[in-house]
Amino acid sequence: DPQQVDVIYRFWELFDMANVPIAASLLQARRETQVSLTPPMRPFQEEKLSLALLHHPILEDFWKENLPKASYRALQRVVPQTWVMDSVELPPNAVLDAPYINGKPIHAWQQLALAGKKERNLIIKISGYHETAWGARSVTLGSDCSREEWEQAIGQAITMAENSLHILQTYEK
């Protein structure tokens, strides 16, 4: 007893489309406006690392110039401080745009492992298309794990950086 369907809830992540046998048919139906998919197919919403752009100090003037004041203030309030954990090696006199540890800037992500429990009110999670990017499977809350688990999460983020970037965010309840 076929019934006409006009809205479909998308239960898969965009990285997983190859494993959804009817994905091509659904996308074609969407293109022909026969069906709506929700949540929308918007890759930029799956890239958590774009959140880091809002708080990056070099881009602050750009955002202030291009966003209405009220919008900028609202985004600053709701988007947690975010940093991209890449595997860049800095010269000895440089520091990362990253949280301070023991009141001092850091020059390597590995230094996050030295943070005390209170300073580890931070979350590490993968960004983009990866099988661990959904359902909090890649999330490590620093203040809720052992120093060893925290160090392991930092190491994994740095090791995977070439193919799958991780972000670091302040944890907000």
Side-chain angles (χ1 to χ4, degrees), residues 53-159:
L53 299 176
L54 179 67
H55 292 288
H56 198 286
I58 292 174
L59 295 173
E60 182 179 9
D61 291 338
F62 171 81
W63 295 123
K64 285 181 176 178
E65 182 179 325
N66 289 283
L67 291 173
K69 278 185 184 180
S71 297
Y72 178 72
R73 283 194 305 268
L75 286 169
Q76 288 287 315
R77 276 193 320 272
V78 299
V79 175
Q81 181 71 45
T82 306
W83 301 272
V84 178
M85 296 181 73
D86 58 5
S87 56
V88 66
E89 259 189 60
L90 298 177
N93 61 333
V95 294
L96 289 170
D97 175 37
Y100 282 28
I101 302 301
N102 295 321
K104 296 185 172 140
I106 62 173
H107 65 272
W109 291 111
Q110 293 87 338
Q111 289 179 277
L112 289 173
L114 304 173
K117 199 91 159 159
K118 289 182 180 178
E119 287 182 308
R120 291 196 326 244
N121 201 29
L122 301 164
I123 291 179
I124 296 174
K125 55 186 163 185
I126 202 162
S127 179
Y129 305 113
H130 193 271
E131 64 265 11
T132 63
W134 63 276
R137 295 188 305 166
S138 72
V139 174
T140 301
L141 173 56
S143 59
D144 196 35
C145 66
S146 69
R147 183 176 299 275
E148 293 78 26
E149 291 169 318
W150 180 239
E151 192 169 6
Q152 183 180 11
I154 295 165
Q156 181 177 9
I158 294 165
T159 301

Side-chain angles (χ1 to χ4, degrees), residues 4-12 22-23 25-42:
Q4 184 169 340
V5 174
D6 57 2
V7 177
I8 296 176
Y9 176 75
R10 177 174 62 91
F11 60 89
W12 70 89
I22 62 168
S25 301
L26 291 174
L27 293 176
Q28 181 65 31
R30 192 194 99 229
R31 273 192 294 278
E32 295 170 0
T33 65
Q34 297 171 349
V35 69
S36 293
L37 293 175
T38 188
M41 306 286 270
R42 295 188 175 146

